[in-house]
């Protein structure tokens, strides 16, 4: 196994550059003590880079990124850039062109983190959302006509083909086999009847190949309710792109907030370079105030280590986070948090 991992780093905008360095420093300590190395190259892509240069993400840069073992992002998004430009030109372009068809978003409550759900403990919150990341409403298929008149029409369609549905569900089943062997497909089969005829048929077909995995189905509105009322019922939630976007913000809130929520945009077939980032955005409202919680970035680093096959180091980082959240007040400064995380990584690795 090649243990010299090439990583492209995009610190990005707002709090991105405040949370990325600590994650990289922890990873670096783990690498030097764990017998592997991380070969980092930084890239400026971001909203502020776009404002300066007019470049969002060139094909040339994207093709360069293909050669890395992973991409590590802080956060991108700038209040001075019109909505959609960075989202479509950078994040979605990567997801589509690198075929990062799984957006893996764990929802786990660490002991010591205050949960907004009354009476819930870490035993109640430990599931993973498998968000389909290559299709649905995000493909942008649609258009509008008669703009500006009272007859104006706008269409944007939810689009899936069999192959996209199949590979996403297969990933969910495989993941469930390594966990508590339970998948909940979340959709809206009572309204989106064409769409869920497809998803549910493939779910049954594939489910037959995974007889040990318990299959459940929930409408997305009911799933929102259960994520609050009884999150312990979930192990692996599998859902389409937009529902997954919305559900994982709820999930993040239940595990202690956006500062605790990590994600991996994965190409499980490794035909494109997978990307790891906190779920939170660039948070311009708190940027530059030494207030950002770096845990989501560190947890994203942990997910990256797992994907790179560095399981021992990932486990150490998980212990670092567990220990950190047990005795750290929420809302300590980013710099104090960084120091603590680095010290813990040194002492536990
Ligand atoms: C996320 C974000 C993105 C999404 C945006 C920024 C395009 O909200 O990663 O959850 O909608 O997927
Ligand atoms: Mn989102």
């Amino acid at each position: 196994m090649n243990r010299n991992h090439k990583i492209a780093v995009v610190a990005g905008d707002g709090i991105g550059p405040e949370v990325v360095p600590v994650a990289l420093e922890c990873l670096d300590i783990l690498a030097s003590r764990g017998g592997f190395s991380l070969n980092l190259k930084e890239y400026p892509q971001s909203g502020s880079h776009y404002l300066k240069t007019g470049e969002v993400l060139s094909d040339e840069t994207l093709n360069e990124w293909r050669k890395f073992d992973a991409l590590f992002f802080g956060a991108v998004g700038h209040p001075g850039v019109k909505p959609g430009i960075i989202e479509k030109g950078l994040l979605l372009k990567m997801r589509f062109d690198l075929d990062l068809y799984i957006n893996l978003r764990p929802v786990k409550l660490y002991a010591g983190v205050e949960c907004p759900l009354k009476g819930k403990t870490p035993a109640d919150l430990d599931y993973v959302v498998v968000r389909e990341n290559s299709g649905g409403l995000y493909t942008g298929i649609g258009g509008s006509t008669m703009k500006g008149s009272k007859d104006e029409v706008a269409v944007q369609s939810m689009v899936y083909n069999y192959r996209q549905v199949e590979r996403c569900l297969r990933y969910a089943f495989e993941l469930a086999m390594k966990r508590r062997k339970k998948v909940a497909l979340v959709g809206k089969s009572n309204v989106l009847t064409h769409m869920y005829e497809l998803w549910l048929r493939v779910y049954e077909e594939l489910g037959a190949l995974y007889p040990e995995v318990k299959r459940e189905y929930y409408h997305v509105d009911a799933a929102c309710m259960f994520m609050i009322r009884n999150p312990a019922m979930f192990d692996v939630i599998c859902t389409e792109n937009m529902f997954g976007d919305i559900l994982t913000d709820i999930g993040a809130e239940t595990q202690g907030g956006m500062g605790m929520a990590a994600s991996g945009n994965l190409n499980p077939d490794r035909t494109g370079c997978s990307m790891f980032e906190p779920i939170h955005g660039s948070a311009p409202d708190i940027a530059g105030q030494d207030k950002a919680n770096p845990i989501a970035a560190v947890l994203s680093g942990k997910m990256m280590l797992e994907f790179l096959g560095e399981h021992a180091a990932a486990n150490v980082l998980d212990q670092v986070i567990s220990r950190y959240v047990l005795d750290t007040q929420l809302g300590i400064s980013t710099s104090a948090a960084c120091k603590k995380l680095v010290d813990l990584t040194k002492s536990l690795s």
Side-chain angles (χ1 to χ4, degrees), residues 6 17 34 59 74 77 80 132 142 221 272 313 342:
K6 282 176 63 192
D59 289 335
E132 203 294 324
D221 46 354
V342 168

Side-chain angles (χ1 to χ4, degrees), residues 101-107 127-133 160 164-176 179 182-186 199 235-245 247-248 264 266 268 303:
Y101 64 87
I102 297 296
N103 197 324
L104 195 62
R105 300 188 156 188
V107 179
Y127 59 93
V128 183
V129 179
V130 173
R131 169 185 172 189
E132 203 294 324
N133 211 29
Y160 276 106
Q164 285 172 308
V165 172
E166 205 243 13
R167 66 187 186 175
C168 178
L169 285 167
R170 186 180 294 279
Y171 185 90
F173 278 115
E174 289 289 335
L175 182 62
R179 293 177 49 99
K182 202 168 152 188
V183 175
L185 173 64
V186 169
W199 277 84
D235 178 23
V236 174
I237 290 181
C238 183
T239 192
E240 71 84 36
N241 208 342
M242 180 62 86
F243 292 162
D245 178 45
L247 288 179
T248 53
L266 311 181
M303 292 181 76

Side-chain angles (χ1 to χ4, degrees), residues 21-323:
V22 59
L24 294 179
E25 198 172 335
C26 295
L27 293 177
D28 189 57
I29 297 163
L30 292 164
S32 64
R33 303 199 177 177
F36 64 98
S37 58
L38 298 173
N39 188 344
L40 307 178
K41 181 165 179 196
E42 292 197 32
Y43 285 86
Q45 273 65 27
S46 59
S48 55
H49 178 72
Y50 168 72
L51 289 176
K52 260 183 261 152
T53 65
E55 190 221 344
V56 182
L57 173 60
S58 67
D59 289 335
E60 199 189 339
T61 303
L62 187 71
N63 285 333
E64 218 174 288
W65 287 356
R66 288 178 201 279
K67 298 184 203 116
F68 285 85
D69 296 307
L71 293 150
F72 190 71
F73 268 56
V76 290
H78 193 289
V81 181
K82 203 173 128 216
I85 300 207
I86 300 298
E87 290 84 348
K88 287 188 167 182
L90 184 51
L91 293 171
L92 299 189
K93 186 179 165 109
M94 288 170 63
R95 289 177 188 176
F96 295 145
D97 290 9
L98 300 173
D99 205 14
L100 310 180
Y101 64 87
I102 297 296
N103 197 324
L104 195 62
R105 300 188 156 188
V107 179
K108 178 179 154 96
L109 179 68
Y110 280 87
V113 176
E114 201 186 327
C115 179
L117 306 178
K118 191 169 156 216
K120 301 297 182 208
T121 70
D124 293 292
L125 274 113
D126 184 9
Y127 59 93
V128 183
V129 179
V130 173
R131 169 185 172 189
E132 203 294 324
N133 211 29
S134 71
L137 290 161
Y138 279 71
T139 56
I141 287 184
S144 59
T145 186
M146 290 183 274
K147 265 204 161 139
S149 78
K150 291 261 154 66
D151 294 316
E152 179 171 345
V153 176
V155 183
Q156 201 146 356
S157 306
M158 188 183 279
V159 184
Y160 276 106
N161 65 29
Y162 182 97
R163 196 175 69 92
Q164 285 172 308
V165 172
E166 205 243 13
R167 66 187 186 175
C168 178
L169 285 167
R170 186 180 294 279
Y171 185 90
F173 278 115
E174 289 289 335
L175 182 62
M177 286 298 287
K178 294 184 209 133
R179 293 177 49 99
R180 299 193 301 275
K181 298 193 170 59
K182 202 168 152 188
V183 175
L185 173 64
V186 169
K188 190 72 185 177
S189 63
N190 52 347
V191 175
L192 304 177
T193 47
H194 302 297
M195 190 50 68
Y196 283 93
E197 195 272 319
L198 172 61
W199 277 84
L200 282 164
R201 177 160 36 84
V202 183
Y203 193 40
E204 295 306 310
E205 271 173 30
L206 265 185
L209 305 177
Y210 295 90
E212 291 156 71
V213 178
K214 185 158 182 248
R215 287 196 299 282
E216 294 176 342
Y217 166 83
Y218 299 98
H219 295 323
V220 62
D221 46 354
C224 291
M225 176 182 77
F226 287 128
M227 281 169 67
I228 303 294
R229 190 206 282 171
N230 184 21
M233 65 193 254
F234 296 119
D235 178 23
V236 174
I237 290 181
C238 183
T239 192
E240 71 84 36
N241 208 342
M242 180 62 86
F243 292 162
D245 178 45
I246 299 165
L247 288 179
T248 53
D249 270 30
I250 300 181
E253 225 28 65
T254 63
Q255 65 182 327
M258 278 296 170
M260 299 298 300
S263 78
N265 290 260
L266 311 181
N267 178 322
D269 315 325
R270 302 191 188 234
T271 57
C273 179
S274 296
M275 182 269 218
F276 299 83
E277 63 170 353
I279 297 184
H280 64 64
S282 58
D285 52 327
I286 61 157
Q289 296 170 39
D290 203 22
K291 269 192 192 166
N293 181 355
I295 292 293
V298 177
L299 275 170
S300 303
K302 183 199 118 178
M303 292 181 76
M304 182 168 79
L305 288 177
E306 274 160 4
F307 191 79
L308 294 170
E310 299 296 349
H311 299 288
N315 286 340
V316 175
L317 201 47
D318 195 63
Q319 284 167 37
V320 168
I321 292 157
S322 301
R323 286 277 287 276

